[in-house]
Amino acid sequence: DLERARTVARQIAGITTTAAFEAAAREYSALPSRENGGRLGWLPLSNYPAGLHAVLLALGPGEVTAPIEIENGIALFQLRDIRE
């Protein structure tokens, strides 16, 4: 149910290690990236919706976004590193 998903998402948002985030992605993600621990690979910021740019730029390596409610789910992003 949605309330349970929100609770789990808030817990994941508090994760501070990539290993813990990967484990959570493998367990809870509905996307194919779950097989890679949620890793999306290197993507330019422009690949993400404009509304996410400020949220992603505010993260430091290892930090996870607050839960972002999307259609049919809740999204979380962890910044692993920055490459210019």
Side-chain angles (χ1 to χ4, degrees), residues 2 5-6 8-10 12-13 21 28-31 40 48-49 52 55-56 64-78:
L2 184 57
R6 286 178 177 144
V8 170
R10 283 191 296 271
I12 294 170
F21 188 86
Y28 297 108
S29 180
L31 299 177
L40 298 176
Y48 295 96
L52 278 180
V55 172
L56 297 174
V64 179
T65 63
I68 302 166
E69 294 204 22
I70 58 173
E71 186 176 339
N72 298 320
I74 299 172
L76 293 134
F77 296 88
Q78 181 184 49

Side-chain angles (χ1 to χ4, degrees), residues 1 5 12 17 29 36 38 40 43 52 54 67 79 83:
D1 79 21
I12 294 170
T17 68
S29 180
N36 298 324
L40 298 176
L43 295 172
L52 278 180
L79 180 70
R83 182 169 77 179

